[in-house]
């Protein structure tokens, strides 16, 4: 996605060798035109998968998730990280570790929103080690649904998430793949670059 790559290059801020700050367009302030294009691109890439729901994690996954759900014509569910007074029973719970925030969260989804036989597309803003995607996939599978695919806006290809998810058998589509954040620069995966093993 050319528009997304340009945004990363022009507005992304590298914080050390493992963290890319994109809060001006993706996860604090959001660019609605870009999010619409993200939704369209995921819909194009996952065409024919008979998706019945989209699933993400709060809060950074909500913008790309809702635009993808809108384009697909399906509901979006977001897994909550914070405990809710109204969501206390009949829930799926999974523990996930956030690479960026260096903390574990219990994510929850109400059992009434994912039924057996559902074809669920997981959408998230970043992929590093794959913890969030695996947690969401486990929730779908606990419900008796199947993961139609995993759509990632920005993948840090120098971390193992891509490899681990593909080895587990999940179809993964990342809109932008970053090879390195070394020396304060964003280096994208080129056509001739391969993922580290």
């Amino acid at each position: 996605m050319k528009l997304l790559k340009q945004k990363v290059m022009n507005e992304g801020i590298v914080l050390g060798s493992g963290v890319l700050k994109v809060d001006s367009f993706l996860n604090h302030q959001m660019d609605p035109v870009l999010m619409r294009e993200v939704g369209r691109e995921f819909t194009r890439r996952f065409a024919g998968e008979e998706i019945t729901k989209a699933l993400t994690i709060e809060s950074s996954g909500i913008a790309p998730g809702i635009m993808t759900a809108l384009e697909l014509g399906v509901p979006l569910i977001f897994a909550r990280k914070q405990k809710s007074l109204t969501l206390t029973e009949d829930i799926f719970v999974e523990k996930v570790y956030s690479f960026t925030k260096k903390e574990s969260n219990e994510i929850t989804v109400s059992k009434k929103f994912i039924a057996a036989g559902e074809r669920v597309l997981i959408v998230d803003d970043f992929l590093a080690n794959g913890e969030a995607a695996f947690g969401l996939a486990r929730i779908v599978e606990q419900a008796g649904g199947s993961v139609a695919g995993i759509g990632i806006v920005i993948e840090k290809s120098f971390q193992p998430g891509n490899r681990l998810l593909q080895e587990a058998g999940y179809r993964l589509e990342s809109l932008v793949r970053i090879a390195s954040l070394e020396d304060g620069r964003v280096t994208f995966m080129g056509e001739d670059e391969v993922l580290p093993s």
Side-chain angles (χ1 to χ4, degrees), residues 4-29 34 60 99-101 125-126 153-154 156 158-159 178 180-181 184-186 188:
L4 178 57
K5 247 185 191 178
Q6 287 171 342
K7 281 284 195 181
V8 171
M9 290 301 292
N10 297 337
E11 298 178 37
I13 300 167
V14 177
L15 303 175
S17 62
V19 179
L20 176 66
K21 187 175 181 182
V22 291
D23 64 348
S24 67
F25 63 90
L26 181 57
N27 55 21
H28 192 50
Q29 172 175 272
L34 176 63
S60 298
F99 172 83
T100 307
K101 294 181 180 157
D125 62 336
F126 269 96
V153 179
I154 299 172
K156 293 188 275 183
F158 55 89
Q159 291 179 284
I178 295 172
S180 169
L181 295 172
R185 285 183 355 170
V186 176
F188 295 102

Side-chain angles (χ1 to χ4, degrees), residues 32-51:
V33 173
L34 176 63
M35 291 302 101
R36 182 182 61 210
E37 292 307 312
V38 163
R40 288 176 176 167
E41 183 62 16
F42 282 141
T43 299
R44 185 187 70 75
R45 291 189 186 199
F46 290 101
E49 290 291 341
E50 299 178 7
I51 294 162

Side-chain angles (χ1 to χ4, degrees), residues 106-147:
E106 278 194 344
I107 60 169
T108 58
V109 171
S110 173
K111 289 183 177 180
K112 70 182 176 183
F113 295 132
I114 305 178
E118 297 263 28
R119 297 270 300 152
V120 180
L121 176 64
I122 293 170
V123 177
D124 207 3
D125 62 336
F126 269 96
L127 174 63
N129 295 320
E131 292 279 336
F134 274 117
L136 292 170
R138 287 191 299 268
I139 286 173
V140 171
E141 289 156 3
Q142 281 181 58
S146 61
V147 176

Side-chain angles (χ1 to χ4, degrees), residues 55-100:
L55 175 64
T56 193
I57 204 165
E58 71 173 347
S59 61
S60 298
I62 293 175
I66 194 70
M67 293 309 238
T68 302
L70 178 67
E71 292 294 324
L72 288 167
V74 300
L76 171 71
I77 307 160
F78 69 87
R80 293 177 178 265
K81 290 182 192 171
Q82 306 299 321
K83 297 283 187 228
S84 169
L85 295 175
T86 62
L87 192 65
T88 56
E89 50 191 52
D90 290 329
I91 56 174
F92 297 110
V93 180
E94 281 294 330
K95 193 172 223 168
V96 298
Y97 179 77
S98 168
F99 172 83
T100 307

